[in-house]
Amino acid sequence: MGWFWWFMLAMVLVIPLTMLMLGLRWWRGRIPPYGGSSGYRTRRSLASPEAWVFAHVYFGRLWVIVGVAVLVPSAVVMLLCPGGDTDRIGLWGGALCFIQTFVMLIPMIATENALRRMGG
């Protein structure tokens, strides 16, 4: 396994690990200050301090679930191509990162729907 494979493995794991770390943090109640410059900032989540807390806890839980669901297959795919050339490794790693980018946004739909049902 060459250096490029290790680099691509690290890059492929950035998104799921970020989802897990932030998801656990928010799910457990370590939420950024209301209205601050970071966090889950949408019109509905900023509607009230209660909506802000609800959105972070709900979104955090979903990010933990999705983060694990993305981490495992991503790592398996990268483990299956260690002997490949750099083009193959780069193609698979890039494709995984592209897919992960869209998958990490899916929990936003569920969170916004939950906020709407909540009245936010």
Side-chain angles (χ1 to χ4, degrees), residues 1-10 82 86 89:
M1 289 184 262
W3 69 270
F4 186 67
W5 182 85
W6 285 103
F7 172 77
M8 284 307 297
L9 177 64
T86 55
I89 294 168

Side-chain angles (χ1 to χ4, degrees), residues 27-40:
W27 190 9
R28 292 182 176 164
R30 294 193 57 207
I31 298 167
Y34 173 66
S37 61
S38 65
Y40 183 82

